[in-house]
Amino acid sequence: MQPKLNPPPHNAVLTVDTVLLTLSEDELKLALFRRETPPFEGQWALPGGFIHDDDDSTKAAAARVLLQKAAVQSPYLEEYGTFSGPARDPRGWSLSVVYYALIAAERLSSHIALFALDALPSLPFDHSAIVSGVVSRVRSKASYSSLPVHLCGESFTIAELHHVYEKVLGTPLNMANFRRKLEDLSILEPIAGAQRAAGRSRPSQLYTLSKRFKNTLSIRERGL
Amino acid sequence: MQPKLNPPPHNAVLTVDTVLLTLSEDELKLALFRRETPPFEGQWALPGGFIHDDDDSTKAAAARVLLQKAAVQSPYLEEYGTFSGPARDPRGWSLSVVYYALIAAERLSSHIALFALDALPSLPFDHSAIVSGVVSRVRSKASYSSLPVHLCGESFTIAELHHVYEKVLGTPLNMANFRRKLEDLSILEPIAGAQRAAGRSRPSQLYTLSKRFKNTLSIRERGL
DNA sequence: TCAATAGTGTCTATAAGACACTATGCC
DNA sequence: GGCATAGTGTCTTATAGACACTATTGA
């Protein structure tokens, strides 16, 4: 047993906040929850909570918060950064570690409140700054990685994934080139024999995300 | 005045650790300090310290630590991420926010202990993991941004900067192409009339880092 | 004037973008 | 068969890489 060592006490408020993004009604949307406790009780805010002594890490705390508040288990959960200081929380000096997750709308329980990014309510703490920081990080990563694939469900067609990329990036992408670059990300596995028929046209092959990239990203040197 | 609100007490050890890198003896090196207090008293470790109530943010805490321990004021100081959990520090559940800085050797006081990255002593806590994480982040950012310029002093030639990039990336870079890409990063300002003569050859123009990029990076879409 | 490095011009190879084409299933 | 979308082939354009060239100074 180690001798008891005493760091100077720091009464920081220690929290995690999570930015949960999904694609709904053909738009990138943010999940918000009404705060159940002061401060800012009753206001819309990012799902967050205190870090507990029995959390294995801040990431584990974020996963727990998402499970408890949103009832989702997001395979992709990544740290964005920390927000800290004496003034951001009325309870005193605070530090929040921010995580973000992208998830298919079909995996979210339908009673979760979703807001379009250009129609967010006013948010407490520095949550507005957090959201805009995360959104620009996500847009940036989307432009050279497999990140947006997490907005698709278990199986999807290339056309669907193409559409998701266009929505996240906000710019049209040539389909032929998109296919070539997807190829070289090598994140997709065709589901043998599974196709999706739409109307009277040729059905398209269904794919699933390769296991290897469920929790991590595939990166391309030169943009998507 | 807000009513006093009580978050559940969390006795986390709250620290910042900094990874201070420089180029010395033609190699990328890490600054380490001997710990002056338990735990691991006397061992080489990253410069770090507790977050104080009067720090304005974790970044301010990191800047303070660098100033107090290494007597350097680094213009470029960026958050890498957090390391946390119940087991990484014998004092109990801990959270460390890690920052990294790159600085010219000439701005470091000469008594600071520098270690080549492939000859580090064994480090306490999870400092080894922190260092390797930061180093790969730095190598990656160096490949498409102005990051390595912070390893140069106040004024420098293009040949010198070219050499710094090669050392950080560990790979030779064609000089003509390097110049073109530097041009388009547009981070340099020629110092009018200032040249550096070396031996009996043509002297080279001296440049300085544009003010705009002292604290931030210039990014290129497609690699350096 | 020549040694030595600074700095530029230009050809070649590779990758991105545009776009037309073929393929396939349903009505 | 032909409509509609899936998926491919290929031409054009931009950028990266290689390399040879000119420029400028000190000895």
Side-chain angles (χ1 to χ4, degrees):
Chain A
M1 180 73 186
Q2 296 273 350
K4 182 66 184 164
L5 299 164
N6 295 307
H10 189 131
N11 300 319
V13 179
L14 267 193
T15 58
V16 288
D17 285 301
T18 62
V19 176
L20 182 58
L21 296 169
T22 195
L23 205 60
S24 159
E25 295 171 327
D26 218 35
E27 247 188 311
L28 198 56
K29 294 206 178 172
L30 172 68
L32 293 176
F33 291 79
R34 285 203 183 273
R35 285 183 61 81
E36 293 173 354
T37 53
F40 305 112
E41 187 172 0
Q43 287 195 35
W44 291 111
L46 294 176
F50 295 115
I51 295 170
H52 293 175
D53 287 306
D54 54 359
D55 286 324
D56 270 345
S57 61
T58 53
K59 184 169 183 172
R64 175 178 54 73
V65 161
L66 281 181
L67 198 58
Q68 290 174 346
K69 298 219 173 182
V72 292
Q73 209 154 7
S74 175
Y76 184 76
L77 181 63
E78 187 155 298
E79 179 172 335
Y80 172 65
T82 64
F83 289 74
S84 61
R88 55 183 295 281
D89 189 313
R91 289 166 294 190
W93 209 101
S94 66
L95 189 164
S96 177
V97 186
V98 173
Y99 284 83
Y100 63 96
L102 279 72
I103 198 155
E106 64 190 62
R107 295 191 193 183
L108 284 178
S109 47
S110 54
H111 66 271
I112 286 179
L114 298 177
F115 294 82
L117 295 175
D118 54 6
L120 294 181
S122 109
L123 298 176
F125 308 104
D126 46 9
H127 285 192
S128 297
I130 291 173
V131 171
S132 49
V134 167
V135 168
S136 55
R137 164 86 63 93
V138 165
R139 292 226 156 95
S140 157
K141 287 216 167 196
S143 72
Y144 60 86
S145 79
S146 60
L147 181 55
V149 78
H150 295 104
L151 294 169
C152 290
E154 185 57 28
S155 66
F156 49 88
T157 67
I158 300 226
E160 284 161 5
L161 182 55
H162 176 245
H163 184 74
V164 166
Y165 267 87
E166 290 192 333
K167 282 298 165 183
V168 173
L169 293 174
T171 162
L173 297 171
N174 179 281
M175 179 57 103
N177 303 331
F178 180 74
R179 282 173 186 277
R180 265 199 304 261
K181 295 177 176 187
L182 254 190
E183 185 70 24
D184 111 13
L185 279 178
S186 58
I187 54 168
L188 299 186
E189 286 172 7
I191 306 173
Q195 302 194 321
R196 174 163 302 167
R200 56 176 170 168
S201 78
R202 175 177 174 180
S204 55
Q205 176 64 49
L206 280 172
Y207 292 86
T208 190
L209 178 60
S210 161
K211 212 167 190 173
R212 186 159 84 259
F213 295 108
K214 296 262 186 203
N215 315 305
T216 184
L217 298 181
S218 175
I219 307 282
R220 255 178 71 84
E221 279 305 314
R222 297 173 235 250
L224 72 302
Chain B
M1 180 74 185
Q2 296 273 349
K4 182 68 184 164
L5 299 163
N6 295 307
H10 192 296
N11 301 318
V13 178
L14 267 192
T15 58
V16 287
D17 285 301
T18 61
V19 176
L20 182 57
L21 296 169
T22 195
L23 205 60
S24 159
E25 295 170 328
D26 219 36
E27 247 188 311
L28 198 57
K29 295 205 177 171
L30 172 68
L32 293 175
F33 291 79
R34 285 202 182 274
R35 285 182 61 80
E36 292 173 356
T37 54
F40 305 112
E41 188 172 359
Q43 287 195 35
W44 291 111
L46 294 176
F50 295 115
I51 294 170
H52 293 175
D53 287 307
D54 54 0
D55 287 323
D56 270 345
S57 62
T58 53
K59 184 169 184 174
R64 174 179 55 72
V65 161
L66 280 180
L67 197 58
Q68 290 173 347
K69 298 218 174 182
V72 293
Q73 208 154 7
S74 175
Y76 184 76
L77 180 63
E78 187 155 298
E79 179 172 335
Y80 172 65
T82 64
F83 289 74
S84 61
R88 56 183 296 281
D89 189 312
R91 289 167 293 191
W93 210 101
S94 66
L95 189 165
S96 176
V97 186
V98 173
Y99 284 82
Y100 63 97
L102 278 72
I103 198 155
E106 64 190 62
R107 294 191 193 184
L108 283 179
S109 47
S110 54
H111 66 270
I112 287 179
L114 298 177
F115 294 81
L117 295 174
D118 54 5
L120 295 181
S122 110
L123 298 176
F125 308 103
D126 46 8
H127 285 192
S128 296
I130 291 174
V131 171
S132 50
V134 167
V135 168
S136 55
R137 165 86 63 92
V138 165
R139 293 226 157 95
S140 158
K141 287 217 168 193
S143 72
Y144 60 84
S145 80
S146 59
L147 182 54
V149 79
H150 295 104
L151 294 170
C152 290
E154 185 57 28
S155 67
F156 48 88
T157 67
I158 300 225
E160 284 161 5
L161 183 55
H162 176 245
H163 185 73
V164 167
Y165 268 87
E166 289 192 334
K167 281 298 163 183
V168 173
L169 293 173
T171 162
L173 296 172
N174 179 282
M175 178 57 104
N177 303 330
F178 179 74
R179 282 174 184 276
R180 264 200 304 263
K181 295 177 176 187
L182 254 190
E183 184 70 25
D184 112 14
L185 279 178
S186 58
I187 54 168
L188 298 187
E189 285 172 8
I191 305 173
Q195 302 194 320
R196 174 163 302 166
R200 57 177 170 166
S201 77
R202 174 176 175 180
S204 55
Q205 176 65 47
L206 281 172
Y207 292 85
T208 190
L209 178 61
S210 161
K211 211 167 190 172
R212 186 158 86 258
F213 295 108
K214 296 262 185 203
N215 315 305
T216 184
L217 298 181
S218 175
I219 306 282
R220 253 178 71 84
E221 280 304 314
R222 297 171 235 252
L224 71 305

